Short mmCIF file of all heavy atoms in Angstrom, two decimals:
data_model
loop_
_atom_site.label_atom_id
_atom_site.label_comp_id
_atom_site.label_asym_id
_atom_site.label_seq_id
_atom_site.Cartn_x
_atom_site.Cartn_y
_atom_site.Cartn_z
N ALA A 12 -42.60 16.92 -69.49
CA ALA A 12 -42.38 15.59 -70.06
C ALA A 12 -41.14 14.94 -69.45
O ALA A 12 -41.00 13.71 -69.45
CB ALA A 12 -42.22 15.69 -71.58
N ASN A 76 -37.98 4.28 -61.33
CA ASN A 76 -38.45 5.17 -62.39
C ASN A 76 -39.01 4.29 -63.51
O ASN A 76 -39.06 3.06 -63.35
CB ASN A 76 -37.30 6.06 -62.91
CG ASN A 76 -36.03 5.24 -63.15
OD1 ASN A 76 -36.08 4.16 -63.72
ND2 ASN A 76 -34.90 5.74 -62.69
N ALA A 77 -39.38 4.88 -64.63
CA ALA A 77 -39.91 4.06 -65.74
C ALA A 77 -38.81 3.21 -66.36
O ALA A 77 -39.05 2.05 -66.74
CB ALA A 77 -40.53 4.97 -66.79
N THR A 78 -37.60 3.75 -66.45
CA THR A 78 -36.49 3.00 -67.05
C THR A 78 -36.24 1.70 -66.29
O THR A 78 -36.04 0.63 -66.87
CB THR A 78 -35.21 3.87 -67.01
OG1 THR A 78 -35.49 5.09 -67.69
CG2 THR A 78 -34.03 3.17 -67.65
N LEU A 81 -38.99 -0.74 -67.07
CA LEU A 81 -38.87 -1.30 -68.43
C LEU A 81 -37.74 -2.34 -68.48
O LEU A 81 -37.89 -3.41 -69.10
CB LEU A 81 -38.61 -0.17 -69.43
CG LEU A 81 -39.83 0.74 -69.68
CD1 LEU A 81 -39.41 2.07 -70.28
CD2 LEU A 81 -40.85 0.03 -70.58
N HIS A 102 -38.37 5.60 -76.71
CA HIS A 102 -37.35 6.27 -75.89
C HIS A 102 -36.20 5.27 -75.70
O HIS A 102 -36.38 4.06 -75.79
CB HIS A 102 -38.01 6.59 -74.54
CG HIS A 102 -37.21 7.42 -73.60
ND1 HIS A 102 -36.25 6.88 -72.78
CD2 HIS A 102 -37.27 8.74 -73.30
CE1 HIS A 102 -35.73 7.85 -72.03
NE2 HIS A 102 -36.33 8.99 -72.32
N ALA A 104 -35.09 4.28 -73.11
CA ALA A 104 -35.41 3.37 -71.98
C ALA A 104 -35.92 2.02 -72.48
O ALA A 104 -35.85 1.03 -71.77
CB ALA A 104 -36.44 4.01 -71.06
N THR A 150 -44.31 2.28 -76.83
CA THR A 150 -44.70 3.42 -76.01
C THR A 150 -46.18 3.72 -76.21
O THR A 150 -46.75 3.43 -77.26
CB THR A 150 -43.84 4.65 -76.36
OG1 THR A 150 -44.05 5.64 -75.38
CG2 THR A 150 -44.15 5.21 -77.73
N ALA A 152 -47.29 6.94 -75.71
CA ALA A 152 -47.26 8.23 -76.40
C ALA A 152 -45.80 8.66 -76.55
O ALA A 152 -44.99 8.44 -75.65
CB ALA A 152 -48.03 9.30 -75.62
N ASN A 154 -42.51 10.75 -76.48
CA ASN A 154 -42.00 11.85 -75.67
C ASN A 154 -41.37 12.93 -76.53
O ASN A 154 -40.91 13.93 -76.02
CB ASN A 154 -40.96 11.34 -74.65
CG ASN A 154 -39.68 10.90 -75.32
OD1 ASN A 154 -39.72 10.10 -76.24
ND2 ASN A 154 -38.55 11.42 -74.89
N ASP A 179 -44.95 1.18 -72.48
CA ASP A 179 -44.21 2.24 -71.79
C ASP A 179 -45.18 3.42 -71.63
O ASP A 179 -45.43 4.16 -72.59
CB ASP A 179 -42.98 2.62 -72.63
CG ASP A 179 -42.26 3.84 -72.08
OD1 ASP A 179 -42.71 4.40 -71.07
OD2 ASP A 179 -41.25 4.24 -72.71
N ALA A 181 -44.79 6.10 -69.86
CA ALA A 181 -44.08 7.21 -69.22
C ALA A 181 -44.75 8.56 -69.48
O ALA A 181 -44.74 9.43 -68.62
CB ALA A 181 -42.61 7.25 -69.68
N GLN A 182 -45.31 8.72 -70.68
CA GLN A 182 -45.89 10.04 -71.00
C GLN A 182 -47.41 10.06 -70.81
O GLN A 182 -48.03 11.09 -71.08
CB GLN A 182 -45.53 10.45 -72.44
CG GLN A 182 -44.06 10.73 -72.64
CD GLN A 182 -43.54 11.89 -71.77
OE1 GLN A 182 -44.30 12.77 -71.36
NE2 GLN A 182 -42.25 11.87 -71.46
N PRO A 202 -43.62 5.86 -64.67
CA PRO A 202 -42.81 6.65 -63.73
C PRO A 202 -43.77 7.26 -62.72
O PRO A 202 -44.91 7.58 -63.05
CB PRO A 202 -42.22 7.74 -64.63
CG PRO A 202 -43.22 7.90 -65.75
CD PRO A 202 -44.04 6.65 -65.86
N HIS A 204 -42.96 10.13 -61.29
CA HIS A 204 -42.56 11.54 -61.17
C HIS A 204 -42.97 12.43 -62.33
O HIS A 204 -42.61 13.60 -62.36
CB HIS A 204 -41.03 11.61 -61.01
CG HIS A 204 -40.27 11.12 -62.20
ND1 HIS A 204 -39.73 11.97 -63.12
CD2 HIS A 204 -40.01 9.86 -62.65
CE1 HIS A 204 -39.14 11.26 -64.07
NE2 HIS A 204 -39.30 9.97 -63.80
N LYS A 205 -43.72 11.88 -63.29
CA LYS A 205 -44.15 12.73 -64.41
C LYS A 205 -45.64 13.04 -64.20
O LYS A 205 -46.00 13.76 -63.27
CB LYS A 205 -43.87 12.06 -65.75
CG LYS A 205 -42.37 11.81 -66.00
CD LYS A 205 -42.13 11.23 -67.38
CE LYS A 205 -40.79 10.59 -67.54
NZ LYS A 205 -39.79 11.46 -68.14
C1 PLP B 1 -41.47 7.60 -73.36
C2 PLP B 1 -40.52 7.55 -72.20
N1 PLP B 1 -40.13 6.35 -71.74
C3 PLP B 1 -39.31 6.22 -70.69
C4 PLP B 1 -38.82 7.33 -70.04
C5 PLP B 1 -37.91 7.16 -68.87
O1 PLP B 1 -38.55 7.62 -67.71
P1 PLP B 1 -37.74 7.71 -66.33
O2 PLP B 1 -37.01 9.00 -66.37
O3 PLP B 1 -38.81 7.69 -65.28
O4 PLP B 1 -36.85 6.54 -66.25
C6 PLP B 1 -39.18 8.61 -70.48
C7 PLP B 1 -38.64 9.81 -69.83
O5 PLP B 1 -38.68 10.89 -70.32
C8 PLP B 1 -40.08 8.71 -71.58
O6 PLP B 1 -40.48 9.90 -72.02
#
Side-chain angles (χ1 to χ4, degrees):
N76 46 45
T78 303
L81 289 161
H102 187 278
T150 191
N154 69 308
D179 172 0
Q182 293 300 335
H204 64 101
K205 297 184 198 264

